[in-house]
Amino acid sequence: MNILHLNQNDVGDKSIFVSSPENIHHLVKVLRAKVGDIYPVSDGSCWEYLGRIEKISSDGVTLSIVDKQRHGRELSYEAALFQGVPKNPKLELIVRKAVELGVSEIIPVFMDRCVAKETGKEEKKVQRLQKVADEAVKQCLSPRNPKVRSFVQFKDMARGLEDFDLVIFPYENEEGRTIRGLLSKWKDENLKNSQDSPDVLPVPKIAVVIGPEGGFSTNEAVRLESLGILPVSLGKSILRTETAGQAVLSMLLYEMEL
C-alpha cells in the first residue's frame, strides 16, 4: 500500500490535512482515492499513522487518524550522503538509489576534482532532485522523508562533519583499513545496554563522503585525516562515483540491520 509522505505540520492530534498540489494529485488522480479509503501516512518522524479520507476538495484532502504507532520499517541509524558533484545526469541516479538504500539526506559537494562546476542554477537542480527522492521513497515504501540539501563547498562540508557519530571516507589510495573492519569495530565500541534489550544501538548519525569522478585531491584527503577521519578501502576494485556511495550504503545496511 502507498505511504503518504507529508510534513509534520500537516498532522494534527486527530486529523491530517493534505495540502500540497503534488500530494493531492497523487491521491486523487493517481491512486483514485475516495472518501472512506484508508492510507498509511508518514511525517518523517518515528510515527506512522493510518488515516481515513473524510473529505476531498480542491483545497486539499482531510483524513481522520484511526491509528498511530511507531514505524516497523525504521532503520536503526540515520545516514547522510555527501556526494562529490558528478557530471549530469549521474546525480539523479545517485539520489534515487541512495533513497532506496535508506539514506536520510543527500548533500551535493563541490570538490577540487569535480568536472561539473557551479552555474548559479543549483537551487533549481535541488528542486528537481528532491522530486526524484520523493518518487523513489514512494516506490520503496520507506517511512522516511529523505531530503536533498543545497550544494556546498568541500570546506563547508568538512566543518559540519563533527556533528556526526561516524564518518565513512572511502579512498582509493587506502589499502589496509577496510570498511568492514571500521563498521565492525565501531559497532562493537558503541553497543550499549538497554533496559528493553541488551543488544540495541543508539540511533547514530553516520556521514558517507564520496569523491567525484576524479576522486579526492591530496589536500582534501589530508584535510579529512586532520579531523581524525581515517580513510577506508572498499576492496580491490576502483568503483565509479555513482557506484561507491551505493556500495557503502549497502554495506552499512547489512552491518546494522541484517
Side-chain angles (χ1 to χ4, degrees):
M1 181 180 289
N2 288 271
I3 297 177
L4 301 179
H5 292 271
L6 307 178
N7 296 320
Q8 292 187 22
N9 57 10
D10 293 330
V11 180
D13 293 333
K14 297 182 178 180
S15 63
I16 299 167
F17 186 66
V18 181
S19 58
S20 76
E22 293 83 3
N23 283 323
I24 295 172
H25 175 81
H26 184 70
L27 265 175
V28 178
K29 301 297 184 181
V30 178
L31 300 180
R32 304 293 183 183
K34 58 184 182 297
V35 172
D37 288 350
I38 294 179
Y39 288 93
V41 176
S42 173
D43 63 1
S45 68
C46 62
W47 298 102
E48 184 177 43
Y49 307 84
L50 282 181
R52 179 191 293 114
I53 296 179
E54 303 292 346
K55 181 181 179 181
I56 299 175
S57 69
S58 58
D59 296 328
V61 179
T62 303
L63 303 91
S64 60
I65 297 175
V66 297
D67 188 40
K68 175 183 177 181
Q69 56 186 317
R70 288 189 176 274
H71 284 299
R73 292 180 299 276
E74 185 61 270
L75 299 179
S76 61
Y77 59 93
E78 294 183 2
L81 175 62
F82 291 88
Q83 173 65 52
V85 179
K87 295 184 291 186
N88 286 331
K90 293 179 181 179
L91 199 48
E92 288 192 13
L93 174 64
I94 291 170
V95 167
R96 184 175 295 108
K97 296 305 178 183
V99 168
E100 292 178 16
L101 290 167
V103 77
S104 298
E105 56 182 341
I106 302 104
I107 306 93
V109 184
F110 284 111
M111 301 184 182
D112 290 341
R113 293 179 178 173
C114 285
V115 176
K117 304 299 181 183
E118 287 189 85
T119 63
K121 299 179 180 180
E122 280 70 34
E123 284 309 309
K124 288 186 177 180
K125 292 181 180 179
V126 169
Q127 294 175 14
R128 168 58 188 161
L129 292 170
Q130 186 62 59
K131 289 184 178 180
V132 172
D134 293 342
E135 292 170 358
V137 80
K138 291 176 183 177
Q139 293 174 351
C140 62
L141 301 181
S142 169
R144 291 188 172 177
N145 293 342
K147 300 298 182 184
V148 179
R149 306 300 184 186
S150 297
F151 287 62
V152 299
Q153 297 292 331
F154 179 89
K155 61 181 181 180
D156 299 316
M157 176 205 72
R159 284 196 291 262
L161 291 178
E162 63 182 13
D163 296 331
F164 290 86
D165 300 295
L166 173 67
V167 180
I168 301 175
F169 163 38
Y171 188 37
E172 62 269 21
N173 290 345
E174 176 59 39
E175 296 180 354
R177 192 179 300 104
T178 67
I179 186 172
R180 181 176 65 177
L182 172 71
L183 290 176
S184 179
K185 180 181 179 181
W186 184 86
K187 186 176 179 181
D188 289 343
E189 290 177 349
N190 288 271
L191 190 64
K192 296 181 179 179
N193 291 331
S194 168
Q195 293 180 351
D196 300 321
S197 171
D199 297 313
V200 176
L201 276 171
V203 179
K205 293 178 61 178
I206 300 174
V208 178
V209 184
I210 302 297
E213 285 95 344
F216 294 99
S217 69
T218 301
N219 288 338
E220 290 168 339
V222 169
R223 172 59 175 152
L224 291 176
E225 291 191 55
S226 73
L227 298 173
I229 302 169
L230 299 178
V232 295
S233 169
L234 298 183
K236 297 180 179 180
S237 298
I238 302 298
L239 302 181
R240 298 170 69 93
T241 186
E242 63 267 33
T243 307
Q246 317 314 319
V248 174
L249 292 172
S250 297
M251 295 173 192
L252 187 57
L253 184 65
Y254 176 81
E255 182 65 31
M256 301 290 283
E257 299 291 327
L258 303 178

